[in-house]
């Protein structure tokens, strides 16, 4: 019982999740017909998901390997009173 209680207490602890993304141009064959240019992260498309729990902090390190400027924004994440952190151009 003590072990179970200790495990349950550890589940609710917030943590910092470090994520590194390299945004790059890829050649992909999404339709099975022809290769096309696309933008991916860490050589993948679709980009890898980031899983967080309530209270966690994300430290997202982004390297832009594209030849043009880019921005990042997120879906599925509430931006209450911090919409300027969404990544949309100002």
């Amino acid at each position: 019982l003590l072990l179970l209680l200790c495990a349950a207490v550890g589940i609710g602890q917030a943590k910092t999740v470090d994520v590194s993304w390299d945004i790059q141009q890829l050649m992909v064959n999404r339709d099975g017909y022809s290769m096309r240019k696309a933008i991916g992260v860490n050589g993948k498309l679709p980009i890898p998901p980031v899983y967080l729990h309530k209270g966690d902090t994300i430290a997202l390190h982004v390297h832009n390997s594209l030849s043009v400027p880019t921005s990042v924004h997120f879906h599925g994440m509430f931006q209450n009173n911090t919409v300027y952190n969404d990544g949309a151009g100002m």
Side-chain angles (χ1 to χ4, degrees):
L1 180 62
L2 181 58
L3 182 59
L4 183 58
L5 181 60
C6 290
V9 169
I11 291 172
Q13 292 181 350
K15 63 181 188 262
T16 297
V17 178
D18 262 317
V19 178
S20 294
W21 281 357
D22 182 18
I23 300 174
Q24 53 198 197
Q25 183 173 306
L26 308 173
M27 293 300 292
V28 297
N29 186 349
R30 301 279 294 179
D31 60 5
Y33 180 69
S34 62
M35 298 296 287
R36 296 175 188 209
K37 293 179 184 177
I39 296 175
V41 171
N42 298 341
K44 297 182 180 182
L45 183 67
I47 67 171
V50 175
Y51 296 103
L52 302 168
H53 297 282
K54 185 174 183 175
D56 286 352
T57 299
I58 183 171
L60 180 61
H61 309 276
V62 179
H63 177 78
N64 180 14
S65 291
L66 301 174
S67 60
V68 296
T70 192
S71 66
V72 175
H73 74 273
F74 298 92
H75 296 258
M77 182 174 170
F78 292 110
Q79 292 288 333
N80 298 332
N81 299 318
T82 60
V83 293
Y84 46 86
N85 288 331
D86 178 327
M90 303 283 289

